[in-house]
Amino acid sequence: MDMDKRPPADGGDGCLVGVIRIPVKIVAVLVVLPVRVVWELLVAGARAVHRHVLGPLYVHVIEPLLRALGWLLTTLLKLVFVWPWVGLWRYVLVPAGQGLAWVCRGLYGRVLAPAGRFLTDCVLRPLGEALAWLGRGGMRYLLAPLAKGVTWIGWVLGMTLFVWPWVALWRYVLAPVGRGIAWLAAVAYRYVLTPVGHGLVWLAVAVFRYLLRPVGLGLAWLVVALYRYLLRPVGLGTAWLAALLYRYLLAPLGQLLVWAWHVAGRIVGALWRGFKWVGWVLVGWPASWAYRHVLTPVGHAAREVWRTGRAAVREARATVRRALFGTPPVEPARSRARTLGSTTAADAAPADEISLPRRQG
C-alpha cells in the first residue's frame, strides 16, 4: 500500500474559483486564440515565401545582378583612378625620363667633360703650379728662418723658466745634500749597523746551537720514547681488548637481542590477533547482529509511521483547501513530465521525491 498517493479529486469547484475562471476563459478564446492563429499563419506563409520565392530569387537573380554590378563598379574605378596613371607612367613619364637621361649623357659627354678637361689643363693646373712655386719660395726664404728664430726664442724661454732653475737646484743644493746623507748612511752602516747585525747573528746562532737544538732534540726523543714504549703498547692492548669484547661479548649479545626482538614481535602479533578476535566476539558480532536484526526493522517501522502521519496531514490539508477554494485544475501529462511532477496551480502540493521509484515500478 503506497501512502504517498493523493486521493482522487472530486469535480466540485469553489465559488471564488468559478468567478475568476469564466472571464479568463472568455478572454483566452476571444483574444489569445485568434492572435495565436494569425501568428502561426504568418510564420508558415513567411517560411513558404522564403523557401519558394525569396531563396530562388536571391540565388538566380539578385546574386548575379550584384556580381555584375560589382564588376562594373570595379571597372569604372580602375578606368578613372588606375588606368590613366598607369598610361601616364608607361607612355609619358618613362619615355620622357629616358629621353632626358639620353640628353644628359650626351651633354656630359659632348660639352661638360671637354670643358672640364680644358679648364683643368689650361687654367687650374698652371694656377696650382704657380701657387706651389710661390709657396715653396716663401717657405724657404721667409717662413723657415722666421720659424727657426721663433723656435730658438721659445727654447731659450723654456730652458730659462723650466729647466735651468731645476738643474741649478739639483746641482748646487740637492746633489750635495744627497751625497752628505749617503756618506752618513755608509758610515752608520759600516760602524754601527754591521757590528750590531753581526752580534745579533752570533747571539741567534748561539741560542739555536746551545739552547733550542738541545731542547728540540730532547723533546723529540721524549715523544718517540712515549710513542714507542707507552702509547703504542697501550693502543695495541686497547685494540686487542676491544676486538675480544666485540667477538666474545658484543656480537653474541647483539644476536641475542635481535632474536629476542623477533620473538617478541611474533608474540605481540599473536596477542594482537587474539585481542582482535576476542573484541569481535564480545563487541563487534553482537553490535552487528543488533544493528541488522533490531535497529534496522525499528527504523523501517518508524519511517512507515512517519510517512503515514505525513500523508494523513496532507490529506486533511487538501480536504480543507477543497472545502474553501474547490478542486484545482489537473495539469496535462506532458506538462507534468516537463516540470518533473510539479503543478502550475498555486495551491497544489509538490510530488514526493521518495515515492517516485514505487510509482515507476
Side-chain angles (χ1 to χ4, degrees), residues 281-295:
V281 171
L282 296 179
V283 179
W285 182 78
S288 175
W289 181 86
Y291 175 77
R292 186 177 300 172
H293 298 284
V294 177
L295 297 178

Side-chain angles (χ1 to χ4, degrees), residues 9-90:
D10 52 2
D13 293 331
C15 57
L16 185 59
V17 176
V19 169
I20 296 175
R21 184 183 298 173
I22 293 174
V24 171
K25 288 183 178 181
I26 292 173
V27 172
V29 171
L30 295 179
V31 178
V32 178
L33 183 60
V35 172
R36 182 59 183 270
V37 171
V38 172
W39 174 256
E40 294 294 338
L41 291 176
L42 290 176
V43 170
R47 289 179 180 174
V49 169
H50 176 72
R51 183 178 301 171
H52 299 289
V53 178
L54 295 180
L57 181 64
Y58 175 78
V59 172
H60 299 290
V61 177
I62 297 177
E63 187 176 1
L65 202 66
L66 291 176
R67 289 181 181 177
L69 184 60
W71 178 82
L72 181 61
L73 290 175
T74 304
T75 305
L76 289 176
L77 290 175
K78 288 182 178 180
L79 184 61
V80 174
F81 297 103
V82 178
W83 291 341
W85 301 104
V86 173
L88 180 64
W89 170 261
R90 184 176 297 175

Side-chain angles (χ1 to χ4, degrees), residues 79-318:
L79 184 61
V80 174
F81 297 103
V82 178
W83 291 341
W85 301 104
V86 173
L88 180 64
W89 170 261
R90 184 176 297 175
Y91 300 107
V92 177
L93 296 179
V94 172
Q98 293 176 355
L100 186 61
W102 180 79
V103 170
C104 291
R105 286 196 297 270
L107 182 64
Y108 176 78
R110 303 293 182 182
V111 178
L112 296 179
R117 286 194 294 270
F118 174 77
L119 185 64
T120 302
D121 294 335
C122 300
V123 178
L124 297 178
R125 185 175 296 172
L127 183 61
E129 291 177 355
L131 292 175
W133 181 81
L134 290 176
R136 287 194 297 270
M139 176 67 69
R140 180 177 297 176
Y141 298 106
L142 181 62
L143 296 178
L146 184 62
K148 289 181 180 179
V150 172
T151 303
W152 182 80
I153 293 173
W155 180 81
V156 170
L157 289 175
M159 293 294 291
T160 303
L161 295 176
F162 300 104
V163 178
W164 289 341
W166 300 105
V167 171
L169 179 65
W170 169 260
R171 183 176 295 176
Y172 300 106
V173 177
L174 297 178
V177 173
R179 285 193 291 269
I181 293 173
W183 180 81
L184 289 176
V187 170
Y189 175 76
R190 179 177 296 179
Y191 298 104
V192 178
L193 296 178
T194 301
V196 172
H198 290 170
L200 292 176
V201 170
W202 179 84
L203 180 62
V205 170
V207 169
F208 174 75
R209 181 178 296 176
Y210 300 106
L211 179 63
L212 297 178
R213 187 171 179 272
V215 172
L217 292 177
L219 291 176
W221 179 83
L222 181 61
V223 170
V224 171
L226 286 175
Y227 172 75
R228 181 177 297 175
Y229 300 106
L230 179 62
L231 298 178
R232 188 170 178 271
V234 171
L236 293 177
T238 305
W240 178 77
L241 182 60
L244 290 179
L245 287 175
Y246 175 77
R247 180 177 298 177
Y248 298 104
L249 181 62
L250 297 179
L253 184 61
Q255 294 177 358
L256 180 62
L257 290 176
V258 170
W259 176 80
W261 178 264
H262 288 294
V263 171
R266 293 184 180 181
I267 293 173
V268 170
L271 290 175
W272 174 250
R273 287 192 295 271
F275 287 152
K276 285 174 61 177
W277 181 80
V278 171
W280 168 252
V281 171
L282 296 179
V283 179
W285 182 78
S288 175
W289 181 86
Y291 175 77
R292 186 177 300 172
H293 298 284
V294 177
L295 297 178
T296 301
V298 170
H300 291 171
R303 184 179 60 184
E304 294 296 333
V305 171
W306 169 255
R307 287 182 178 177
T308 303
R310 186 176 57 181
V313 171
R314 186 183 298 159
E315 184 178 358
R317 186 176 57 186

